[in-house]
Amino acid sequence: MKRNRRLGVFIAEVWLPPAKNVIQGIFDRAAPKGFDILVFTHFSNMNGSHFQIMGEENIYNLAGYAELDAAVIVGNRYQRKELVSDIEKLLLECGVPAVACEYSSTVFPSVYFDDRKNFCTLTEHLINAHQCRDIICLTGPENWIQSEQRLRGYCDACEKAGMKIKSDNIIYGDFWLYSAEKLAGEIISGKRKRPEAVVCANDIMAISLITHLIKAGIRIPDDIRVCGHDGTQYSDMCAPSLTTLSNSEYDLGADAAAELLKILSIPVSEDFERRSEVRVGDSCGCGRKKEYIAEYNSNIFLADYINNQISQSTLPSEINRSENISDFIRAVERHNEIFIVPYRYYLCLCEDWAGEDTYYRKSGYPEYMHQILGMRAYWTSDMEEHIFRTDDIIPCLSEEHSPEMYILTPLNYGDRFFGYSVLQYENAETAFHHLYRQHSTILCSALENIRIYQNYMKLRQKLDIYLSRDEMTGLYNKKGIFDYFKKNPPAGQTNSVSAVLMCIENYGGIIGKYGENVSRRLNAIFVQSINSFLGTDGMCGIIKGRVFSVFPGSNTDPETFCGRVQDRFDELVRSIPEVNGEISIYCDAETIFFNGNEDFEHKLEEFISMAEKYENENTENPYSAKLKKLHRDIYRHPEIRFNISDAAAQIGISNSHFQRLYLEQFGISCKRDMIKAKTAKAKELLVSTELSVYEISEKCGYDSPTHFMKQFKSETGMTALQYRRGHS
């Protein structure tokens, strides 16, 4: 079945009328050509990198999955200009043809308002309808394309009427309040001759000018007629009502869509009805038309109605008591007051939305999404839940349907991204009430509560099931370690088990200096580091507060395991800046050899006793930290040719003293330890890669493969190829 083509629209602040008009213009132009309109937008349109903004902006990455056929970027509406560049880059990578709307792009063709023609029409209204001849033009900043185009429109109107253009009547402003306030001050003080009319390049400057003139006793429009431009909602809110140019955004959207259709070689009708018009009001003397007043009152009524519905809603308290997604869905279905206008609403969650605290989705999307809710306004539909591919966006888009408009907004809690919601509309001009943001915030808070509660219940269930676990970390305690191996005896698989003694160095000092909260976080990071590399049959137990016994798994080399855990711990501990640099971990890896289960229990008890003994011993010496770092480097980088003399000099002791301390601390000579490190690395590469013996010898720091093969057989009792075949 052939799906509709998809046109993506990237725009901010879609709850404002100008944005809605742009979208409607795009829809009316593109929908008859078989395009669905997918509007990507977020809520916090600010220039910053706050977690909330980062989380919301992930919605734009969805465009990379949407298989768009074309796109419009309304770039002038974004406060953070880097976001516009990111959107452009994404579309380029996906090969999506696009147009830049109301901003200058270096990669896509740009489409602008027909400001010159529109402003000419607005100025002609003052000239022809009110016989004004002395008209001041307050435009925007000099050299801005919008400012210059509107100024040219003013000049065109004056020239058509045979009026002389006075340089003193052309004023560059700021598109904001201050330039209008300055002009009002000059007129009020008499510094500038009072004109018959002022035509302003946007509504904000016009309203500011009117406000200051009226305060000074100058009557509008009796003394001075004033017009604005843009047709914003503020033109109906001020008194007197503002004469302005409306619906130019609609024409802009239609022009952008037409440009895209031409790029796609799709025929474009030239008789498309444009909507730009002078929206007369009291500020020029025409008076507001009844239909404008009715429209304004209707919008006010709708806003008040929805505000009233929201204020009386019990959704926040009810939905935040939800313990699972089913409760959550029922609460949303019962409280759909915000959906008075759209006729479809969808909630879609990432498969991994309820991820763990440390690792969670901040950007991008999984391959599949879960539509947990699909409903109509004011009643619950019979739409079923769906698991669907992310590139479908929502399941119904893949079904046969007439072209529709969809607004996609993010579901996130800070920078934790849950998914997205979709509003489906027939008409953008009545779409997306500003309170929808409040509604989305409530939903995201509820989802975060559910996630926390579910993770808490999982942990509690584990603690209830595994009574032989440490209360703080959830790891096996001493009893739990023995119970685990009673249920999962290693005998019958091999006659050896890899074991690692690990502990947090300077743990007592950290507790004394920073308290229990920091120690709990250290334990959590340590356990997380260990769990990241445990094999499927591996397990970890805690002996005492800082000492852990780890059994990495049958296919995991203990020395390699230690190096990876140490690297991961160093990375994660940076999240606790107060202890960063003051803390490290110590590892002692060995292999427990045994004959039968009884012998294994005995050997296991010896290993646990060694761990308990380590907790009570003071193993520190003046050179301990440096020796441990060297020991770690040997196992992390076995390819490096360490020199005993250089190592001793680096630590600051003689060769003989160095070798004696190394043997005392690690129970093995430094030279033998280097050979063990190389052998451990070789074992890992033989099992996990298809590298040749020659390549492996190089990666393990051997001068020749012959030397490598001889030493490997001496250490393991078998050749490298025999070892590979035995562990493949």
Side-chain angles (χ1 to χ4, degrees):
M1 179 173 51
K2 185 178 179 181
R3 68 166 176 81
N4 292 347
R5 286 180 283 198
R6 297 176 180 176
L7 193 161
V9 179
F10 300 85
I11 188 169
E13 299 176 351
V14 298
W15 53 87
L16 297 178
K20 294 180 183 181
N21 289 339
V22 171
I23 297 169
Q24 189 65 46
I26 294 171
F27 180 78
D28 289 349
R29 195 71 151 165
K33 303 298 182 179
F35 282 89
D36 284 323
I37 309 301
L38 276 60
V39 180
F40 299 87
T41 189
H42 70 304
F43 300 111
S44 302
N45 185 28
M46 295 182 289
N47 191 9
S49 57
H50 186 272
F51 281 170
Q52 180 67 25
I53 299 174
M54 293 164 59
E56 288 185 17
E57 288 182 356
N58 186 49
I59 191 67
Y60 297 105
N61 289 321
L62 185 58
Y65 299 78
E67 298 181 349
L68 298 176
D69 297 285
V72 175
I73 311 169
V74 190
N76 67 316
R77 304 202 67 83
Y78 288 104
Q79 294 292 325
R80 196 169 78 82
K81 300 309 177 187
E82 294 83 2
L83 177 57
V84 179
S85 298
D86 292 342
I87 294 170
E88 288 185 336
K89 182 180 178 182
L90 176 63
L91 294 176
L92 283 172
E93 290 175 351
C94 296
V96 179
V99 296
C101 203
E102 268 299 283
Y103 76 100
S104 179
S105 171
T106 59
V107 293
F108 295 121
S110 297
V111 177
Y112 293 91
F113 288 107
D114 192 351
D115 282 321
R116 182 170 182 172
K117 180 180 178 181
N118 290 339
F119 213 70
C120 176
T121 301
L122 189 64
T123 308
E124 284 179 331
H125 175 75
L126 291 171
I127 296 171
N128 299 330
H130 299 288
Q131 290 75 49
C132 295
R133 290 295 181 271
D134 185 13
I135 304 173
I136 288 177
C137 173
L138 176 60
T139 188
E142 192 170 3
N143 295 323
W144 282 28
I145 187 168
Q146 294 90 343
S147 308
E148 301 298 343
Q149 286 295 312
R150 294 175 194 184
L151 176 57
R152 289 178 186 175
Y154 163 82
C155 294
D156 290 345
C158 293
E159 289 173 358
K160 285 181 184 180
M163 294 165 47
K164 183 179 179 181
I165 300 172
K166 302 175 184 178
S167 59
D168 193 44
N169 278 356
I170 296 174
I171 302 172
Y172 284 99
D174 53 10
F175 280 142
W176 192 233
L177 308 173
Y178 307 121
S179 57
E181 181 180 354
K182 180 181 177 182
L183 173 59
E186 292 176 358
I187 294 173
I188 293 166
S189 65
K191 182 179 179 181
R192 179 181 291 273
K193 178 187 173 184
R194 182 182 296 181
E196 295 177 283
V198 179
V199 58
C200 300
N202 73 351
D203 288 352
I204 293 297
M205 291 193 297
I207 293 170
S208 175
L209 178 65
I210 289 172
T211 301
H212 287 91
L213 291 176
I214 289 177
K215 282 183 179 179
I218 297 175
R219 297 170 299 169
I220 308 294
D222 296 340
D223 297 329
I224 300 177
R225 304 178 194 274
V226 178
C227 290
H229 184 283
D230 292 341
T232 64
Q233 71 270 32
Y234 306 116
S235 65
D236 286 315
M237 297 178 182
C238 66
S241 59
L242 181 65
T243 295
T244 183
L245 190 90
S246 67
N247 289 322
S248 56
E249 293 88 358
Y250 176 89
D251 290 348
L252 174 67
D255 290 343
E259 181 67 21
L260 268 180
L261 294 175
K262 292 175 183 176
I263 292 172
L264 298 172
S265 300
I266 298 174
V268 179
S269 173
E270 298 298 332
D271 60 353
F272 186 80
E273 183 180 355
R274 306 184 71 82
R275 293 190 181 180
S276 296
E277 63 173 353
V278 176
R279 186 183 180 101
V280 297
D282 296 317
S283 67
C284 74
C286 287
R288 186 63 95 206
K289 291 183 178 180
K290 290 182 179 179
E291 57 264 34
Y292 296 157
I293 297 172
E295 178 187 341
Y296 176 70
N297 290 338
S298 176
N299 290 334
I300 292 295
F301 168 77
L302 181 62
D304 286 345
Y305 179 82
I306 296 178
N307 280 327
N308 185 55
Q309 292 290 94
I310 292 293
S311 65
Q312 297 183 54
S313 173
T314 59
L315 174 64
S317 60
E318 185 173 337
I319 199 170
N320 278 300
R321 291 198 301 271
S322 301
E323 296 182 355
N324 51 56
I325 288 296
S326 296
D327 293 344
F328 174 88
I329 292 172
R330 285 193 292 270
V332 176
E333 289 175 338
R334 284 193 295 269
H335 297 278
N336 56 2
E337 301 89 351
I338 194 67
F339 308 117
I340 185 172
V341 178
Y343 67 99
R344 288 287 191 278
Y345 174 64
Y346 306 91
L347 278 176
C348 304
L349 297 181
C350 300
E351 287 182 309
D352 53 2
W353 75 273
E356 300 298 330
D357 279 332
T358 306
Y359 295 103
Y360 56 86
R361 181 168 296 282
K362 297 181 181 180
S363 63
Y365 290 81
E367 184 178 0
Y368 288 91
M369 298 291 295
H370 183 194
Q371 178 184 304
I372 62 169
L373 179 65
M375 69 180 189
R376 301 171 188 268
Y378 276 119
W379 67 86
T380 303
S381 74
D382 57 358
M383 297 180 196
E384 298 178 356
E385 296 183 35
H386 292 276
I387 302 293
F388 63 95
R389 290 184 59 85
T390 305
D391 52 20
D392 289 336
I393 306 301
I394 49 176
C396 67
L397 269 177
S398 300
E399 302 169 359
E400 188 173 351
H401 63 279
S402 300
E404 300 283 2
M405 181 190 311
Y406 304 86
I407 299 181
L408 297 91
T409 56
L411 292 171
N412 63 291
Y413 190 85
D415 64 345
R416 181 189 292 275
F417 198 79
F418 294 142
Y420 52 86
S421 57
V422 183
L423 296 170
Q424 181 181 352
Y425 291 95
E426 292 177 316
N427 188 316
E429 293 169 338
T430 55
F432 207 97
H433 193 273
H434 72 276
L435 288 175
Y436 179 66
R437 174 177 185 169
Q438 177 184 334
H439 181 271
S440 292
T441 300
I442 293 170
L443 298 194
C444 292
S445 296
L447 286 171
E448 174 67 359
N449 288 341
I450 293 171
R451 187 195 66 80
I452 292 173
Y453 179 78
Q454 288 183 346
N455 286 335
Y456 165 75
M457 292 305 294
K458 287 178 184 177
L459 176 61
R460 182 171 177 178
Q461 183 181 14
K462 289 179 181 178
L463 293 175
D464 290 341
I465 294 174
Y466 302 105
L467 298 177
S468 298
R469 290 184 178 255
D470 174 67
E471 182 178 351
M472 179 184 293
T473 63
L475 298 175
Y476 290 106
N477 54 26
K478 180 180 177 182
K479 177 180 180 300
I481 294 171
F482 283 99
D483 289 345
Y484 173 85
F485 281 111
K486 284 180 181 178
K487 294 178 182 178
N488 306 277
Q493 301 173 8
T494 62
N495 290 322
S496 64
V497 171
S498 297
V500 178
L501 168 65
M502 308 188 85
C503 72
I504 305 175
E505 295 289 292
N506 195 26
Y507 186 77
I510 291 296
I511 294 177
K513 189 173 181 180
Y514 300 108
E516 290 290 338
N517 287 336
V518 170
S519 70
R520 288 175 186 271
R521 291 173 64 190
L522 279 175
N523 269 336
I525 286 175
F526 192 36
V527 171
Q528 183 181 336
S529 303
I530 293 171
N531 287 337
S532 297
F533 303 103
L534 277 179
T536 55
D537 58 341
M539 63 89 70
C540 175
I542 185 167
I543 306 304
K544 288 190 177 181
R546 65 171 180 143
V547 181
F548 299 77
S549 60
V550 186
F551 303 88
S554 56
N555 293 321
T556 306
D557 179 76
E559 299 289 357
T560 304
F561 174 81
C562 289
R564 289 175 175 174
V565 171
Q566 287 168 326
D567 287 341
R568 185 67 175 149
F569 180 81
D570 290 346
E571 176 188 342
L572 293 178
V573 83
R574 296 190 191 104
S575 66
I576 314 177
E578 56 264 45
V579 303
N580 191 19
E582 296 186 32
I583 204 77
S584 61
I585 57 175
Y586 169 75
C587 302
D588 189 1
E590 67 173 64
T591 302
I592 300 176
F593 295 96
F594 59 91
N595 293 310
N597 289 341
E598 291 185 6
D599 187 38
F600 173 71
E601 289 182 15
H602 175 69
K603 296 289 181 63
L604 180 62
E605 190 157 349
E606 287 182 350
F607 179 76
I608 299 298
S609 297
M610 181 179 69
E612 290 180 315
K613 182 180 179 182
Y614 185 88
E615 168 68 16
N616 298 321
E617 284 183 349
N618 178 15
T619 60
E620 296 294 328
N621 64 60
Y623 307 104
S624 177
K626 293 182 179 180
L627 286 169
K628 288 175 182 176
K629 182 180 184 304
L630 175 64
H631 177 77
R632 290 169 62 183
D633 290 343
I634 288 172
Y635 279 88
R636 288 181 181 179
H637 305 289
E639 73 281 2
I640 297 176
R641 294 178 176 84
F642 288 95
N643 181 285
I644 297 294
S645 298
D646 291 343
Q650 183 178 346
I651 292 175
I653 54 179
S654 67
N655 287 9
S656 59
H657 191 194
F658 166 78
Q659 294 187 71
R660 180 176 61 80
L661 288 180
Y662 196 97
L663 180 62
E664 287 179 358
Q665 181 137 343
F666 303 111
I668 187 173
S669 71
C670 184
K671 185 175 181 179
R672 284 288 306 150
D673 218 9
M674 292 178 189
I675 295 172
K676 279 186 65 178
K678 294 177 184 294
T679 303
K681 180 67 173 179
K683 286 180 179 179
E684 179 191 359
L685 294 174
L686 285 166
V687 173
S688 63
T689 74
E690 296 181 357
L691 295 174
S692 68
V693 170
Y694 177 80
E695 291 171 319
I696 290 175
S697 69
E698 281 191 330
K699 289 186 176 295
C700 294
Y702 286 93
D703 294 325
S704 71
T706 303
H707 183 204
F708 161 67
M709 289 186 287
K710 182 179 178 181
Q711 196 167 78
F712 187 87
K713 185 172 183 180
S714 175
E715 290 295 312
T716 64
M718 61 182 77
T719 67
L721 294 179
Q722 287 172 337
Y723 185 88
R724 172 173 275 171
R725 285 195 294 267
H727 291 79
S728 60

